[in-house]
Every structure is written in structure tokens, then in C-alpha cells.
Amino acid sequence: MSATRHPSRVAEAPVLPERGPGPVKVTLTVNGTEHALELEPRVSLLDALRERLHLTGAKKGCDQGTCGACTVWVDQRRTLSCLTLAITCEGREVTTVEGLAEDGELHAMQRAFIEQDAFQCGYCTPGQIMSAVALLEEGHASDDAEIREWMSGNICRCAAYPNIRAAVRAVRDQA
Amino acid sequence: MRPISYSRAGDVAGAIATVASDPTSDFLAGGTTEVDLLRQNVMLPRRLVDINDLPLTQIEDRPDGGLYIGALARMSDVAEAPTVRERFPLIREALVLGASAQLRNMASMGGNMMQRTRCAYFRDAASPCNKREPGSGCSALDGFNRGHAVLGVSDHCIATHPSDVAVPLMALDARIHTEGPRGRRVYALDDFFPEPGDTPHLEHPVEHGELVVGIEVPGMPAARTSLYLKVRDRESYEFALASVAAVVPMTDGVIGDIRLALGGVATKPWRARRAERILRGAPAGREVFERAAFEELLPARATPLNAFKVELARRIMVRALETLTGTRSPS
């Protein structure tokens, strides 16, 4: 069933230094700006963004990786910030919905959400937008069925789905 | 969440030495199961060793036509890899039908093999659960068990194995490579996922500090035509009620080295060996497909709530076989 292939190098390896469980210095790069924070290792990226950096775009919906309201990008990939520990993002690049606009100009997807009336209460919208921009980057928006499937990690309790798809289509077709 | 401390590993040996030296330390990869279970107080490590920087992200072709997938390759990267799309479409399909795009970006292949059951009694950190607290009893046996397993179950546990991608990997005879305090090991996938029996808390044969470093998939040219069929309550972003991974090589209408595995219905990724035995060497056709599917589910032990899975699993097996052999009549 199993076979030892070669002896381990583990015996000589030193045990790694430990940080925490109390607050430790954590450097986060968010929307291009470096922030030095004192965080406990258990703090999620979502809580660090909202409670420490006051970037309240990413929302705490379920806090268990189900709803997608907390979607941000880590190294340009859409990621659930509620299931990510902030300390694991040291050395990585975090982008939130607050980082999408450039020089005061909304991102095309943000404009399309307004033009297509792609939200009602707006709670899921920052996550929807971060997911939608990434969706186009990934090339998963060829038709409505594909958009629906690849946006399924972002729940909208108001069921604005048809208008969200319209916004995605609008930006896709501008390109 | 309880307080935890943190270490980030830069090499495999350091990660293993650190976890192995401390029974209260665990590896942390994508975190999609682990951070959730930390918050629920189901997992209670004192320290997490972050392995996300380790150089285990490769997706490599093997000389035998197979693949070697590093444990830290993300589900999304494996699904998009051209070699996976071309040669192992059933792996790609199982990956893209699992979880959501965000979770697939985060979740590692090694973590997928190590993920925990979604049995609600396991996850509530309060109900009796032999998997979480050995000897405490199984709340699912007489509880709400519509999603639970019908194959490989015991009087101690009926928790369904949640992975999609482990199902095609089981069909393809994949092997898990680990490295640990006592060196490298290779496990047949079937051995890596034991049935619960009277020790449902022992989910894998690995020892503390042993790290999954990769998954080896042997070459199988016939897998270029293969499928993963998944049936669930919602069209997307939901675990399987029943799923099947199938590779059906054919010569002159006769079935060759067929591979069939089931998901969503068993306590482990379930290789459908009874069905394979009936189908190997048989001429393709609905009758033999139905007989094979019937036989595979004969050992099923269902509850009033999940009995539908027995028939569901049989029907999707027949459908997968008909689809792959081109014998499916239009409906």
C-alpha cells in the first residue's frame, strides 16, 4: 500500500518561529497602499479590511464562505475574505471594491451596475462587482448560462440576477 | 474563533518539522474548510503553519501519459490546465462543478483530499458525533440524513464524503504522495480514504505532521472521452446528491477497461467495482448497464430520508454509460 521512498530531510529542519496568538505586526498591501497593523493571527482579512482599515465595501454576509458578499481579489484572483486570515496575505496584493475606481472615475463595471439597475438593497453589490470584473478577466462570460454558472458564488437576496447579467454583458460587449 | 498562533513555512521540511514537533499544530493551505471549522470550534489547533508559499503548485505531464498535480495547485488552475482539459476531461468537469469560482481559486488539491465532511452534526460542535468525538454516538443515524451516505456506511457513521474531484481520481487509480517525519509515502487513493467502520475519526492513514505533497494520475488514453455527471438540489454551487465519473473504452461495441466511481452517495469516493466487473468484456447496451448499476447499489443501506439516492445513483450510472457509449436514446 505505501512505501518509504527515501529518508526524510525533515529531521534536520528547524522548527519555525511562531507569531501570536496575541497581536503581531502585519503588513498588508491594499489597493496599492501598504498598511502596518497590529493583528491577532486569527483575524480574517474581511475583519481587518472593515474594522481596522475602515474599507467597508466588502460585506460580512454569512462569514462562512457561502454568500460571496466579502469577495475581494488577492493577487488579482477573486477570493473570499471571510475565509482568509489577514496574516496569510502578507506579501500579497489585496484589492477591494474601493480600489476599482481610477482618478475618481468609476470602473466600467461599477457604471454598468448603475446603468443596468443591477442592485436593489446593494449589500451584495461590492462582492458582485469584484466577481464580475474577475469573471471577464477569466473569460467566463461567453453567454448567459456561463455568466450564471461562474457568478453562482455571489448570492443576491433581492434576486437582481437578470440585471447583474445585463451589466456583465454590457461591459463584455464594450471591450 | 479561539486565539491561534501562526508560522509561515518556506520549505517542505520546515513545515513538516514544525507540525510534527507539536500535536497542537496543523497545516493551513487554502483554508476554505479549515478556517470555517476553526470558527465553528470543530477544529481546535493552537497554531497554524501556513504552507501556501511551498513550491508544490506544479501540474506536470508524466511519461506514461499521466499527470502529477502538486498539492498546492488550486482547483481553478488544475481545471484550466490544457493537459487536464484534453486528457482528463472528467477531472476538469468535477472541478468546475464543485464549489464556486472564488472557492476554487483558494482551495488546493491537497486540501481537497483532506477536506472534512459537511455532515451538519459533525459541524455543529455540539451533537454527538463519532467522527468529531469518538464514542459519543452518531446523531445522523436517526437524524436529518437526507444528504447522507448509503454505501460504505457503518453503525458509527454515515457521513458523505464531500469531494467531487476525488471521484474521478478514484476512477483513474490516482495515488497520493505525502512527505512526513518518516519520509515520503505513496498511497493508492482507495487506501487514503478508509471506510468509517468503528473508527470514523480516522479519516486518512497519515500520521500527524505528514503532508500531502502531490497527486499522481496514471496515464489512461481512453480518459480523453470521459465524463463526470453530477446531480444536486441546485443547478450550481451545491454538493452532489449523487455523481458518477466514468471512462468507458470500447472495441467493436465491447467494453474494455472500464472505470466507474460514485460521489455523493458514499462515505468515501466510491469505486463501482461490482458494476465494473459486470461491464468489462460485455457488449454495451441498456440492459447490462441497468444490471451493473443495480448490482453496484445492492449493498446500499439507506434511511427513509436518503433512500432516493439508491435509485438516483443507479439512473445516473446508466445515463453516463449510455452517453459515453453513444447508446443513449433521445429523451
Side-chain angles (χ1 to χ4, degrees), chain A residues 80-93:
Chain A
L80 299 177
S81 60
C82 76
L83 291 185
T84 302
L85 299 179
I87 197 169
T88 66
C89 294
E90 278 188 309
R92 313 198 198 282
E93 205 180 298

Side-chain angles (χ1 to χ4, degrees), chain A residues 62-76:
Chain A
C62 66
D63 210 24
Q64 57 170 15
T66 305
C67 75
C70 68
T71 301
V72 300
W73 303 339
V74 176
D75 287 344
Q76 303 300 312

Side-chain angles (χ1 to χ4, degrees), chain A:
Chain A
M1 151 180 143
S2 59
T4 299
R5 283 239 180 129
H6 56 72
S8 172
R9 289 168 290 132
V10 170
E12 303 103 65
V15 167
L16 296 167
E18 189 169 325
R19 299 162 69 191
V24 298
K25 234 186 229 351
V26 175
T27 306
L28 289 183
T29 305
V30 182
N31 301 330
T33 307
E34 231 178 63
H35 301 270
L37 299 170
E38 292 275 331
L39 292 177
E40 292 178 40
R42 65 174 163 171
V43 172
S44 69
L45 176 59
L46 177 62
D47 282 342
L49 291 171
R50 292 181 55 84
E51 310 297 335
R52 303 302 184 85
L53 297 175
H54 310 295
L55 294 168
T56 54
K59 295 292 186 284
K60 188 182 278 193
C62 66
D63 210 24
Q64 57 170 15
T66 305
C67 75
C70 68
T71 301
V72 300
W73 303 339
V74 176
D75 287 344
Q76 303 300 312
R77 293 156 67 99
R78 43 178 164 154
T79 296
L80 299 177
S81 60
C82 76
L83 291 185
T84 302
L85 299 179
I87 197 169
T88 66
C89 294
E90 278 188 309
R92 313 198 198 282
E93 205 180 298
V94 178
T95 310
T96 69
V97 73
E98 290 91 343
L100 276 190
E102 273 182 44
D103 305 323
E105 280 280 306
L106 290 182
H107 186 281
M109 190 65 76
Q110 292 173 304
R111 289 200 306 272
F113 265 64
I114 296 168
E115 285 156 12
Q116 302 295 329
D117 193 19
F119 49 91
Q120 291 177 44
C121 82
Y123 195 82
C124 72
T125 309
Q128 298 281 0
I129 289 175
M130 295 309 283
S131 220
V133 176
L135 173 85
L136 292 181
E137 284 291 316
E138 295 161 7
H140 288 132
S142 63
D143 56 26
D144 269 23
E146 197 182 22
I147 296 171
R148 204 158 41 220
E149 171 61 33
W150 288 79
M151 288 293 288
S152 71
N154 292 83
I155 313 295
C156 173
R157 190 63 191 82
C158 310
Y161 300 112
N163 297 20
I164 292 169
R165 283 196 296 278
V168 170
R169 280 197 309 268
V171 179
R172 177 196 68 194
D173 297 341
Q174 280 166 21

Side-chain angles (χ1 to χ4, degrees), chain B residues 59-61 65-67 78 80-89:
Chain B
I59 303 168
E60 291 171 353
D61 292 337
L67 286 177
V78 177
E80 294 298 327
T83 182
V84 175
R85 298 177 86 121
E86 282 163 32
R87 287 150 59 189
F88 296 100

